Amino acid sequence: LLIIPSGYKAGVAYAELPANGNGDLTWSRNSVANRTQSDGNIGSVAANVPRLSYMYGSCPALLLEPQRTNLLTYSQTFSDASWVKAGFGSANAPIVTANAGVSPDGTTNASRVQFNCVGTTSSDRSILQKASISISNATNYAGGIYVKAYSSSEIGKQLRFVIEGVAAQVIITLTDSWQRVSATGVSSSTSTNYIIETRGTVTTNTTADVLLWGAQFEQGAYATTYIQTGAATATRLADSFTRNNIYTNGLISASGGTWVVELMNNVAYVRDTGGAGLYIDTNTNGLYSGFSFRSRSSVSIRLAIVKYISGVATTLLDLSSESVKVAIKWNGSTADIFVNGTKQVSATAFTPTNMEFLAGSALDVPKFIQAMALYPTPLSDAECQTLTT
């Protein structure tokens, strides 16, 4: 089996090998979703279409994310009345001009927002906000927004971004390029205000002329890709894939096999919930007899490699870097793990050879799969080192 993200259609990510379809991944996500396109713009794909994301360079990765809901309505229509524009103290309400600049999706739909805080005390505020958003107490939330200086004269100026009662303030320094600013935290109330502003004694400047696009506020411990909303909130469902019968079809064999996976953006996250992750297993739902790449706890951690034998889990290795090439080989009695050219686990006990199910989900944390392969025999150490270097 060889998968290098390229060919796809709704419900399928095609494998380069084998050519008969026995290696194609059955893809599921029954909602539209955004990705970074090859031209660098944010673009939408239809329901169940695999997302080939170019976020990390010219070679795409298959992106899997958990289900999330953008709780902000009119997420890129800041001129709508639901976005409060106000001036407090010695300040004027910001002026919003719709469709005033090219946004991260490549079209002219970014809003120009001119903040004008005349005074220099903490009570002087030129503020754009979504007020009184209902939330659950003691719950993880993440917010984000795309920001850019409207003109070169605004580069270096500051905005204050804060989600009250959820996340600490973020001071945004404007640049001439789009930046997505995010803030995360645990709520301390049942209501919050999502705020962008210039504020005396907080920002170094009283005025700021900016482009804004793509506001998002979601329940979860980390920010995910942008979900556009209109008059109602919007939900992106979780990505998952399956490839059954990998043993029956000879992608692994009775003598064992080797599983090679290249992952991008292996970031330490607090997971939303537990899940089987990316796995090969004798059970269609994983977590029984096989190997899994998964977030193994509710604390901030990168993906771990866990082995399962008859439902008993053993964590073999925490993946310590953001970009990893991993080879796991097994021979019917033991297994070895190589990461970025070095053997990290040697001869751990592992007897299953008839694992039938290759699958992946992002119920726990997002995953960017740069490439993946299965060999029907355990490769040599030298071959595993070469494949993972």
Side-chain angles (χ1 to χ4, degrees):
L1 171 71
L2 177 62
I3 293 172
I4 301 173
S6 54
Y8 63 92
K9 67 175 182 179
V12 180
Y14 289 112
E16 278 68 30
L17 297 172
N20 60 6
N22 285 342
D24 297 343
L25 305 181
T26 300
W27 206 271
S28 177
R29 186 201 61 255
N30 196 25
S31 68
V32 298
N34 283 323
R35 61 162 180 157
T36 302
Q37 302 175 150
S38 59
D39 60 5
N41 293 328
I42 304 298
S44 176
V45 299
N48 298 315
V49 172
R51 283 187 285 173
L52 272 62
S53 174
Y54 291 80
M55 183 179 292
Y56 298 104
S58 59
C59 295
L62 285 168
L63 170 58
L64 296 96
E65 285 187 299
Q67 177 174 318
R68 289 291 184 85
T69 298
N70 189 351
L71 301 171
L72 301 179
T73 57
Y74 295 103
S75 61
Q76 57 192 54
T77 312
F78 300 100
S79 56
D80 186 79
S82 63
W83 285 94
V84 177
K85 301 90 175 170
F88 297 104
S90 297
N92 298 316
I95 299 171
V96 177
T97 306
N99 304 322
V102 177
S103 78
D105 73 3
T107 62
T108 307
N109 60 4
S111 294
R112 180 185 183 184
V113 183
Q114 297 167 273
F115 294 91
N116 187 8
C117 178
V118 179
T120 57
T121 72
S122 60
S123 60
D124 299 322
R125 306 171 66 186
S126 182
I127 182 171
L128 175 72
Q129 71 170 327
K130 279 281 188 174
S132 303
I133 306 168
S134 295
I135 57 175
S136 299
N137 189 30
T139 303
N140 287 311
Y141 286 92
I145 192 167
Y146 288 87
V147 183
K148 180 182 178 181
Y150 180 73
S151 64
S152 59
S153 62
E154 301 300 301
I155 294 172
K157 289 188 176 182
Q158 294 182 334
L159 288 177
R160 178 178 183 258
F161 174 48
V162 66
I163 305 167
E164 293 184 335
V166 172
Q169 70 177 12
V170 175
I171 302 300
I172 306 166
T173 300
L174 300 178
T175 70
D176 61 354
S177 300
W178 283 105
Q179 56 179 311
R180 193 188 193 197
V181 181
S182 62
T184 60
V186 179
S187 59
S188 58
S189 66
T190 58
S191 177
T192 186
N193 298 318
Y194 177 104
I195 294 171
I196 307 101
E197 65 178 359
T198 55
R199 185 174 185 176
T201 73
V202 176
T203 52
T204 58
N205 47 280
T206 57
T207 65
D209 194 352
V210 305
L211 290 173
L212 297 180
W213 185 83
Q216 187 150 309
F217 181 58
E218 54 193 312
Q219 183 177 327
Y222 49 84
T224 64
T225 55
Y226 174 52
I227 304 165
Q228 182 179 346
T229 67
T233 63
T235 298
R236 180 198 61 244
L237 299 180
D239 298 270
S240 64
F241 72 82
T242 57
R243 177 65 269 161
N244 299 342
N245 303 320
I246 61 174
Y247 177 76
T248 299
N249 290 325
L251 304 180
I252 58 176
S253 67
S255 63
T258 305
W259 186 24
V260 179
V261 180
E262 183 175 358
L263 295 172
M264 303 292 290
N265 197 40
N266 173 42
V267 178
Y269 282 127
V270 176
R271 71 187 189 190
D272 281 357
T273 186
L278 173 63
Y279 64 89
I280 53 175
D281 204 279
T282 59
N283 190 298
T284 184
N285 295 317
L287 309 184
Y288 186 71
S289 287
F291 297 101
S292 177
F293 291 78
R294 63 189 303 251
S295 177
R296 60 181 174 85
S297 66
S298 58
V299 298
S300 181
I301 195 168
R302 299 179 193 271
L303 289 175
I305 299 176
V306 183
K307 74 172 180 180
Y308 293 85
I309 299 178
S310 299
V312 177
T314 303
T315 298
L316 299 179
L317 185 67
D318 289 327
L319 298 174
S320 59
S321 58
E322 289 191 13
S323 299
V324 288
K325 294 182 179 180
V326 179
I328 305 172
K329 68 168 181 172
W330 62 97
N331 60 17
S333 59
T334 62
D336 301 313
I337 300 177
F338 297 77
V339 180
N340 295 345
T342 302
K343 182 185 279 190
Q344 300 285 355
V345 176
S346 180
T348 183
F350 190 78
T351 57
T353 60
N354 60 340
M355 297 174 287
E356 287 282 19
F357 302 99
L358 168 65
S361 74
L363 295 176
D364 51 355
V365 294
K367 297 171 183 68
F368 286 81
I369 303 172
Q370 188 83 60
M372 187 163 57
L374 279 173
Y375 296 81
T377 58
L379 300 179
S380 69
D381 283 11
E383 288 170 325
C384 289
Q385 288 169 342
T386 298
L387 285 168
T388 60
T389 297

